[in-house]
Amino acid sequence: MFVRDLGRELEVRDLPPGRAVFLGAFEDGVNTYWLVIGSAEVWMVRGYDGDGGQQYGLVNSSVAGLQNVLEVWEAFAGSGGATRTTTTRTTSKA
């Protein structure tokens, strides 16, 4: 669900809501999470860089809020309630 990318940490770009700092990537490697500097909101950029078809959306009003969502998801996925996906392999817990 959330993957660190050390090569992009602290990368800055302009998003529709303002300047933002890279937080991490979604596990698909295409979509990315960004922290908007002025508001501390977390936004997702959907789509490949440079293809002109990117979409932007508010994910959470704070990093702490995003962390809470990720913790709940990990607990749910680890309980066997969902299919787990990692960047290296896919496993199903039933």
PDB file of all heavy atoms in Angstrom, residues 44-61:
ATOM      1  N   MET A  44      -2.466  12.284  -3.463  1.00  0.00           N
ATOM      2  CA  MET A  44      -1.947  11.231  -4.330  1.00  0.00           C
ATOM      3  C   MET A  44      -1.917  11.756  -5.757  1.00  0.00           C
ATOM      4  O   MET A  44      -2.861  12.409  -6.206  1.00  0.00           O
ATOM      5  CB  MET A  44      -2.795   9.972  -4.278  1.00  0.00           C
ATOM      6  CG  MET A  44      -2.265   8.855  -5.183  1.00  0.00           C
ATOM      7  SD  MET A  44      -3.194   7.312  -5.049  1.00  0.00           S
ATOM      8  CE  MET A  44      -2.285   6.559  -3.690  1.00  0.00           C
ATOM      9  N   VAL A  45      -0.809  11.472  -6.433  1.00  0.00           N
ATOM     10  CA  VAL A  45      -0.707  11.729  -7.869  1.00  0.00           C
ATOM     11  C   VAL A  45      -0.861  10.376  -8.539  1.00  0.00           C
ATOM     12  O   VAL A  45      -0.090   9.453  -8.282  1.00  0.00           O
ATOM     13  CB  VAL A  45       0.646  12.383  -8.231  1.00  0.00           C
ATOM     14  CG1 VAL A  45       0.749  12.569  -9.739  1.00  0.00           C
ATOM     15  CG2 VAL A  45       0.814  13.710  -7.515  1.00  0.00           C
ATOM     16  N   ARG A  46      -1.886  10.267  -9.375  1.00  0.00           N
ATOM     17  CA  ARG A  46      -2.180   9.002 -10.056  1.00  0.00           C
ATOM     18  C   ARG A  46      -1.703   9.079 -11.503  1.00  0.00           C
ATOM     19  O   ARG A  46      -2.034  10.020 -12.206  1.00  0.00           O
ATOM     20  CB  ARG A  46      -3.678   8.721 -10.019  1.00  0.00           C
ATOM     21  CG  ARG A  46      -4.197   8.508  -8.616  1.00  0.00           C
ATOM     22  CD  ARG A  46      -5.721   8.330  -8.614  1.00  0.00           C
ATOM     23  NE  ARG A  46      -6.220   8.181  -7.272  1.00  0.00           N
ATOM     24  CZ  ARG A  46      -6.656   9.189  -6.517  1.00  0.00           C
ATOM     25  NH1 ARG A  46      -6.638  10.424  -6.983  1.00  0.00           N
ATOM     26  NH2 ARG A  46      -7.089   8.971  -5.295  1.00  0.00           N
ATOM     27  N   GLY A  47      -0.943   8.083 -11.914  1.00  0.00           N
ATOM     28  CA  GLY A  47      -0.465   8.019 -13.290  1.00  0.00           C
ATOM     29  C   GLY A  47       1.039   8.183 -13.388  1.00  0.00           C
ATOM     30  O   GLY A  47       1.705   8.562 -12.434  1.00  0.00           O
ATOM     31  N   TYR A  48       1.560   7.871 -14.552  1.00  0.00           N
ATOM     32  CA  TYR A  48       3.002   7.938 -14.785  1.00  0.00           C
ATOM     33  C   TYR A  48       3.473   9.378 -14.924  1.00  0.00           C
ATOM     34  O   TYR A  48       2.777  10.208 -15.527  1.00  0.00           O
ATOM     35  CB  TYR A  48       3.373   7.167 -16.051  1.00  0.00           C
ATOM     36  CG  TYR A  48       3.207   5.675 -15.923  1.00  0.00           C
ATOM     37  CD1 TYR A  48       2.072   5.040 -16.406  1.00  0.00           C
ATOM     38  CD2 TYR A  48       4.188   4.906 -15.316  1.00  0.00           C
ATOM     39  CE1 TYR A  48       1.918   3.665 -16.283  1.00  0.00           C
ATOM     40  CE2 TYR A  48       4.046   3.533 -15.185  1.00  0.00           C
ATOM     41  CZ  TYR A  48       2.909   2.930 -15.678  1.00  0.00           C
ATOM     42  OH  TYR A  48       2.766   1.571 -15.548  1.00  0.00           O
ATOM     43  N   ASP A  49       4.673   9.662 -14.402  1.00  0.00           N
ATOM     44  CA  ASP A  49       5.275  10.987 -14.564  1.00  0.00           C
ATOM     45  C   ASP A  49       5.490  11.275 -16.046  1.00  0.00           C
ATOM     46  O   ASP A  49       5.955  10.425 -16.795  1.00  0.00           O
ATOM     47  CB  ASP A  49       6.635  11.062 -13.846  1.00  0.00           C
ATOM     48  CG  ASP A  49       6.493  11.207 -12.342  1.00  0.00           C
ATOM     49  OD1 ASP A  49       5.427  11.645 -11.886  1.00  0.00           O
ATOM     50  OD2 ASP A  49       7.460  10.873 -11.633  1.00  0.00           O
ATOM     51  N   GLY A  50       5.139  12.489 -16.439  1.00  0.00           N
ATOM     52  CA  GLY A  50       5.439  12.946 -17.788  1.00  0.00           C
ATOM     53  C   GLY A  50       4.514  12.468 -18.887  1.00  0.00           C
ATOM     54  O   GLY A  50       4.730  12.793 -20.042  1.00  0.00           O
ATOM     55  N   ASP A  51       3.467  11.704 -18.560  1.00  0.00           N
ATOM     56  CA  ASP A  51       2.591  11.231 -19.639  1.00  0.00           C
ATOM     57  C   ASP A  51       1.432  12.186 -19.913  1.00  0.00           C
ATOM     58  O   ASP A  51       0.668  11.978 -20.836  1.00  0.00           O
ATOM     59  CB  ASP A  51       2.083   9.814 -19.355  1.00  0.00           C
ATOM     60  CG  ASP A  51       1.026   9.742 -18.265  1.00  0.00           C
ATOM     61  OD1 ASP A  51       0.732  10.765 -17.624  1.00  0.00           O
ATOM     62  OD2 ASP A  51       0.494   8.638 -18.044  1.00  0.00           O
ATOM     63  N   GLY A  52       1.303  13.227 -19.097  1.00  0.00           N
ATOM     64  CA  GLY A  52       0.254  14.219 -19.310  1.00  0.00           C
ATOM     65  C   GLY A  52      -1.126  13.799 -18.832  1.00  0.00           C
ATOM     66  O   GLY A  52      -2.056  14.578 -18.881  1.00  0.00           O
ATOM     67  N   GLY A  53      -1.262  12.579 -18.369  1.00  0.00           N
ATOM     68  CA  GLY A  53      -2.575  12.094 -17.953  1.00  0.00           C
ATOM     69  C   GLY A  53      -2.715  11.923 -16.457  1.00  0.00           C
ATOM     70  O   GLY A  53      -3.560  11.169 -16.001  1.00  0.00           O
ATOM     71  N   GLN A  54      -1.894  12.606 -15.681  1.00  0.00           N
ATOM     72  CA  GLN A  54      -1.943  12.430 -14.227  1.00  0.00           C
ATOM     73  C   GLN A  54      -3.202  13.052 -13.639  1.00  0.00           C
ATOM     74  O   GLN A  54      -3.709  14.055 -14.134  1.00  0.00           O
ATOM     75  CB  GLN A  54      -0.711  13.026 -13.579  1.00  0.00           C
ATOM     76  CG  GLN A  54       0.546  12.241 -13.912  1.00  0.00           C
ATOM     77  CD  GLN A  54       1.762  12.798 -13.216  1.00  0.00           C
ATOM     78  OE1 GLN A  54       1.921  14.001 -13.109  1.00  0.00           O
ATOM     79  NE2 GLN A  54       2.628  11.920 -12.749  1.00  0.00           N
ATOM     80  N   GLN A  55      -3.670  12.429 -12.552  1.00  0.00           N
ATOM     81  CA  GLN A  55      -4.813  12.930 -11.796  1.00  0.00           C
ATOM     82  C   GLN A  55      -4.360  13.149 -10.368  1.00  0.00           C
ATOM     83  O   GLN A  55      -3.462  12.458  -9.882  1.00  0.00           O
ATOM     84  CB  GLN A  55      -5.968  11.940 -11.835  1.00  0.00           C
ATOM     85  CG  GLN A  55      -6.494  11.691 -13.216  1.00  0.00           C
ATOM     86  CD  GLN A  55      -7.580  10.622 -13.212  1.00  0.00           C
ATOM     87  OE1 GLN A  55      -7.751   9.872 -12.258  1.00  0.00           O
ATOM     88  NE2 GLN A  55      -8.323  10.549 -14.293  1.00  0.00           N
ATOM     89  N   TYR A  56      -5.008  14.088  -9.678  1.00  0.00           N
ATOM     90  CA  TYR A  56      -4.611  14.461  -8.326  1.00  0.00           C
ATOM     91  C   TYR A  56      -5.806  14.326  -7.401  1.00  0.00           C
ATOM     92  O   TYR A  56      -6.922  14.673  -7.768  1.00  0.00           O
ATOM     93  CB  TYR A  56      -4.115  15.914  -8.312  1.00  0.00           C
ATOM     94  CG  TYR A  56      -3.028  16.163  -9.334  1.00  0.00           C
ATOM     95  CD1 TYR A  56      -3.333  16.566 -10.617  1.00  0.00           C
ATOM     96  CD2 TYR A  56      -1.695  15.966  -9.005  1.00  0.00           C
ATOM     97  CE1 TYR A  56      -2.334  16.779 -11.561  1.00  0.00           C
ATOM     98  CE2 TYR A  56      -0.689  16.174  -9.937  1.00  0.00           C
ATOM     99  CZ  TYR A  56      -1.022  16.579 -11.208  1.00  0.00           C
ATOM    100  OH  TYR A  56      -0.023  16.773 -12.128  1.00  0.00           O
ATOM    101  N   GLY A  57      -5.547  13.831  -6.174  1.00  0.00           N
ATOM    102  CA  GLY A  57      -6.641  13.696  -5.234  1.00  0.00           C
ATOM    103  C   GLY A  57      -6.165  13.746  -3.795  1.00  0.00           C
ATOM    104  O   GLY A  57      -5.088  13.240  -3.467  1.00  0.00           O
ATOM    105  N   LEU A  58      -6.979  14.358  -2.951  1.00  0.00           N
ATOM    106  CA  LEU A  58      -6.702  14.415  -1.522  1.00  0.00           C
ATOM    107  C   LEU A  58      -6.850  13.016  -0.934  1.00  0.00           C
ATOM    108  O   LEU A  58      -7.861  12.347  -1.137  1.00  0.00           O
ATOM    109  CB  LEU A  58      -7.675  15.376  -0.831  1.00  0.00           C
ATOM    110  CG  LEU A  58      -7.553  15.511   0.682  1.00  0.00           C
ATOM    111  CD1 LEU A  58      -6.204  16.122   1.070  1.00  0.00           C
ATOM    112  CD2 LEU A  58      -8.700  16.354   1.222  1.00  0.00           C
ATOM    113  N   VAL A  59      -5.824  12.562  -0.209  1.00  0.00           N
ATOM    114  CA  VAL A  59      -5.844  11.242   0.421  1.00  0.00           C
ATOM    115  C   VAL A  59      -6.192  11.367   1.896  1.00  0.00           C
ATOM    116  O   VAL A  59      -6.984  10.602   2.423  1.00  0.00           O
ATOM    117  CB  VAL A  59      -4.478  10.541   0.267  1.00  0.00           C
ATOM    118  CG1 VAL A  59      -4.415   9.252   1.061  1.00  0.00           C
ATOM    119  CG2 VAL A  59      -4.181  10.289  -1.187  1.00  0.00           C
ATOM    120  N   ASN A  60      -5.594  12.350   2.570  1.00  0.00           N
ATOM    121  CA  ASN A  60      -5.852  12.553   3.986  1.00  0.00           C
ATOM    122  C   ASN A  60      -5.471  13.975   4.352  1.00  0.00           C
ATOM    123  O   ASN A  60      -4.664  14.602   3.680  1.00  0.00           O
ATOM    124  CB  ASN A  60      -5.079  11.549   4.846  1.00  0.00           C
ATOM    125  CG  ASN A  60      -5.823  11.204   6.106  1.00  0.00           C
ATOM    126  OD1 ASN A  60      -6.040  12.067   6.945  1.00  0.00           O
ATOM    127  ND2 ASN A  60      -6.236   9.956   6.239  1.00  0.00           N
ATOM    128  N   SER A  61      -6.021  14.464   5.455  1.00  0.00           N
ATOM    129  CA  SER A  61      -5.754  15.840   5.867  1.00  0.00           C
ATOM    130  C   SER A  61      -4.438  15.994   6.608  1.00  0.00           C
ATOM    131  O   SER A  61      -4.025  17.110   6.906  1.00  0.00           O
ATOM    132  CB  SER A  61      -6.905  16.368   6.729  1.00  0.00           C
ATOM    133  OG  SER A  61      -7.053  15.549   7.876  1.00  0.00           O
TER     134      SER A  61
END
